[in-house]
Amino acid sequence: MSPSRPASRKSFLGWLASPVYLLYRLWCRSLRYTEINRAAIETTTDHGRPVVLCLWHDELFPLIYLKRRLNIIALVSQSDDGDLLAGVLERMGLETARGSSSRGGVKALLAAAKRMREAGLCGCVTVDGPRGPRHQVKEGAVFLASRADAPIVPIRLFMERRKVFKSWDRFQLPLPFSRVTMVCADAYRVDCDPRDAEAVAQECRRLEEKLEALRPPKLPPQLSLFGRMTAALSDMAAHLAYAFAALLGKMGYPGIRSLGRGLGAAFWACLRGRRRLAVRNIATHLDLPWATAESLARASFTHNARSFLESVLAPDFGLDHPLLDVERPDLLERLKNEDRPAVITTAHFGGWELLASLLGDISTRPRLTVVRTYKNKVLHYVTTRLRSSRGAEVIGHREAAFRVLRTLRKNGYAAFLADHNTGRSEAFFLPFLGEEAAVNKGPAVLAVRGKALVWPVFLMRDGDRYRLIMEEPLDAALLQGDAESRSRAVAVFYTGAIERMVRRAPEQWFWMHNRWKTKRIEAED
């Protein structure tokens, strides 16, 4: 039996863990992270099942800081270094199981496997630690995965600029302000009896091959000093712009209405091309005389300007707001209480900027608002922060599919603006206001895959008040046919609801948008 360490040394290491933890946090916060295929972890953990995260010992440093949304139990050796590492990890919210291949390893693995099964924790193993040989997988990860009935996710961490130490593992320390890329392989299950030494060795070789096969992606070059200064100024401008938006919100609803009329008149005077497009769209698709179409187009410019400005009022606008009327309270209660996933479709109509805040009030279940991101980073930051001010998370449409499906699996809500023009590859071509339009198929496909209720919801202005208008939902789970035909049926449903709202109050729709720009090619059906 090895002699125990003096209590004074343990006490010193425990005291040292706190300052080391603070230094570690500061160091990691300076790094810039990129994550590749993190879904390999989250698709498993979202169902409450644990995984075993496996990595090389020399790439350990930045991993713990990337633990967000994961509950991890880490295997740590019983050495002096392990005491210090365990203290740091525990301050970061991780659990630890103490042991290694040379001392207490089996006991630690059994304890970790038990905690993983009971609490759904993810195990984390440096597969060639604590003493090597370097980049040779030992049996611990395979044993843990088998005992915990958990899949393995191999992980590599690639550091753009780093210090490599002359230790057995050639430990890598990322330099401050450098970039770290985490690459995950797909999860897989071990298929062996942990008592069969030959089968375990074969699984170790399999894991080793998967780790060695991971490669860093090609990333754009790191910003120069001037680029970093420009980015810092952009961040400062974004925060100042948000402070101005908050100040603008102090004007209240009467002030925003007045400012909207002035801004709409300015748009009408300056945006001549958009003005002609709006008048032509109204005259063509509502079959109205030019003079009438021009009057409606001018009113729509005022409504659109007001919609843009109303975003500053979103933090104050909830379901209990005194200016809000609900046309069908029974449908609202059903949306709030139905224990089903919901895809909410709306349009650039009425007070559409305020709908995200209403979505935040519907429930405490996961809530997503899917939008097209602005190219201007300052405008994107301000609008995203305003739209998410009451609890609904705002995400860009390019990153939506996985996030929406995960939300729907939790019986959450996902809201889409479904009336904008889109490319052929993303569209169903459907009639809209008398002419075929490219209708975004994304909400429909996700609703079918998520077996969701599809709810058309709109916020129409009624004088100085707002009217929440809802239609009876379509249950995507009850549709018949193949996936394509069911998705098309959903898209027809929400496109029809949008058309009815536009015809009900045409001056409140976004007519200056070239809605019918994308045309079907002859080969398409």
Side-chain angles (χ1 to χ4, degrees):
M1 181 180 296
S2 59
S4 60
R5 283 161 289 169
S8 59
R9 178 150 183 91
K10 293 184 178 181
S11 176
F12 171 74
L13 291 172
W15 173 87
L16 189 60
S18 292
V20 169
Y21 164 67
L22 292 175
L23 177 62
Y24 177 72
R25 285 200 62 180
L26 290 173
W27 196 296
C28 287
R29 286 182 71 87
S30 75
L31 303 175
R32 297 187 299 118
Y33 299 99
T34 301
E35 299 175 337
I36 307 298
N37 196 31
R38 188 185 174 95
I41 302 172
E42 294 182 346
T43 51
T44 301
T45 57
D46 280 348
H47 289 89
R49 297 193 297 270
V51 298
V52 178
L53 311 177
C54 296
L55 68 155
W56 298 128
H57 196 277
D58 60 303
E59 296 172 355
L60 174 65
F61 185 89
L63 175 73
I64 306 305
Y65 200 74
L66 292 170
K67 76 174 186 65
R68 65 182 187 279
R69 301 189 299 274
L70 295 177
N71 295 316
I72 293 177
I73 182 167
L75 270 72
V76 182
S77 70
Q78 294 181 353
S79 63
D80 288 351
D81 292 343
D83 288 342
L84 181 58
L85 177 59
V88 173
L89 297 183
E90 288 166 4
R91 282 163 176 79
M92 294 203 68
L94 279 71
E95 291 192 26
T96 58
R98 305 299 304 277
S100 66
S101 56
S102 58
R103 185 169 58 171
V106 174
K107 182 178 179 181
L109 287 167
L110 291 173
K114 182 179 179 182
R115 288 292 294 147
M116 289 173 65
R117 292 193 304 270
E118 293 176 349
L121 301 180
C122 296
C124 183
V125 184
T126 53
V127 292
D128 56 343
R131 298 178 182 175
R134 181 176 184 267
H135 288 195
Q136 291 186 20
V137 175
K138 297 180 180 178
E139 298 85 355
V142 175
F143 181 84
L144 179 62
S146 177
R147 294 290 299 201
D149 189 26
I152 286 177
V153 175
I155 296 175
R156 294 290 305 274
L157 288 110
F158 299 97
M159 299 162 227
E160 188 176 58
R161 292 186 294 116
R162 63 197 185 276
K163 166 70 176 175
V164 179
F165 291 86
K166 295 181 180 179
S167 56
W168 68 265
D169 61 346
R170 299 177 62 193
F171 189 81
Q172 301 178 60
L173 178 69
L175 298 183
F177 308 104
S178 63
R179 180 161 50 194
V180 175
T181 302
M182 181 179 80
V183 183
C184 302
D186 291 335
Y188 75 95
R189 288 191 171 273
V190 299
D191 186 20
C192 70
D193 186 339
R195 295 168 295 184
D196 186 339
E198 184 176 346
V200 170
Q202 184 175 350
E203 286 292 341
C204 288
R205 289 192 294 271
R206 178 186 179 192
L207 175 55
E208 193 171 305
E209 291 170 358
K210 287 182 176 292
L211 282 166
E212 292 297 344
L214 293 174
R215 291 292 183 267
K218 291 184 178 180
L219 297 173
Q222 191 172 14
L223 290 176
S224 63
L225 177 61
F226 177 76
R228 293 197 295 272
M229 291 177 62
T230 302
L233 289 174
S234 177
D235 290 344
M236 184 183 299
H239 285 86
L240 289 174
Y242 181 78
F244 176 75
L247 185 63
L248 199 63
K250 301 296 184 182
M251 295 178 63
Y253 293 83
I256 292 299
R257 284 196 296 271
S258 299
L259 191 58
R261 286 193 291 269
L263 187 60
F267 286 166
W268 181 259
C270 298
L271 303 178
R272 296 184 178 181
R274 293 288 180 175
R275 182 173 68 197
R276 287 193 297 270
L277 176 62
V279 176
R280 184 170 65 249
N281 279 340
I282 293 173
T284 301
H285 296 97
L286 296 184
D287 195 21
L288 294 174
W290 192 264
T292 305
E294 188 172 21
S295 177
L296 278 173
R298 186 161 193 160
S300 77
F301 269 62
T302 299
H303 277 280
N304 294 332
R306 186 172 163 186
S307 295
F308 174 74
L309 292 171
E310 281 171 341
S311 61
V312 303
L313 302 172
D316 177 56
F317 196 80
L319 289 174
D320 58 350
H321 198 277
L323 293 180
L324 179 67
D325 299 314
V326 180
E327 190 168 88
R328 290 282 305 273
D330 58 316
L331 289 181
L332 177 59
E333 287 303 309
R334 183 179 168 190
L335 174 62
K336 291 166 65 176
N337 299 321
E338 189 90 51
D339 192 23
R340 291 283 306 282
V343 168
I344 297 172
T345 57
T346 189
H348 296 82
F349 175 89
W352 52 271
E353 279 286 2
L354 296 174
L355 271 178
S357 60
L358 292 182
L359 177 62
D361 268 13
I362 286 177
S363 172
T364 57
R365 300 208 301 262
R367 304 167 312 281
L368 292 180
T369 300
V370 181
V371 299
R372 293 203 166 194
T373 55
Y374 292 109
K375 293 181 180 179
N376 184 295
K377 293 183 178 180
V378 174
L379 184 59
H380 173 70
Y381 172 82
V382 173
T383 55
T384 298
R385 189 168 172 183
L386 289 169
R387 289 167 175 169
S388 59
S389 57
R390 295 185 71 90
E393 185 179 359
V394 177
I395 63 172
H397 70 293
R398 295 299 181 191
E399 59 188 73
F402 173 74
R403 298 285 304 281
V404 168
L405 287 174
R406 187 172 66 182
T407 296
L408 296 180
R409 284 198 293 266
K410 297 177 181 179
N411 285 344
Y413 307 84
F416 296 83
L417 286 160
D419 63 334
H420 52 75
N421 184 65
T422 190
R424 291 189 185 93
S425 63
E426 302 172 330
F428 290 124
F429 285 91
L430 303 173
F432 178 65
L433 293 171
E435 183 179 351
E436 190 174 69
V439 174
N440 183 10
K441 65 167 66 172
V445 171
L446 293 170
V448 168
R449 290 183 62 185
K451 298 180 180 179
L453 294 174
V454 184
W455 292 84
V457 180
F458 307 91
L459 189 65
M460 186 176 75
R461 296 193 187 90
D462 188 4
D464 293 340
R465 301 182 64 81
Y466 300 88
R467 181 175 295 275
L468 184 65
I469 300 171
M470 304 176 63
E471 294 194 3
E472 291 281 351
L474 173 70
D475 192 341
L478 300 180
L479 296 174
Q480 302 296 318
D482 59 20
E484 180 80 2
S485 61
R486 286 179 285 153
S487 298
R488 179 179 287 271
V490 173
V492 168
F493 173 73
Y494 56 68
T495 301
I498 293 170
E499 178 169 338
R500 286 189 291 274
M501 286 307 304
V502 173
R503 292 188 181 279
R504 179 170 171 176
E507 74 284 356
Q508 297 194 33
W509 193 54
F510 197 68
W511 289 101
M512 67 175 75
H513 171 223
N514 192 357
R515 179 64 187 90
W516 294 267
K517 178 180 179 180
T518 301
K519 302 296 183 183
R520 181 203 298 259
I521 58 177
E522 292 185 3
E524 287 189 85
D525 52 23

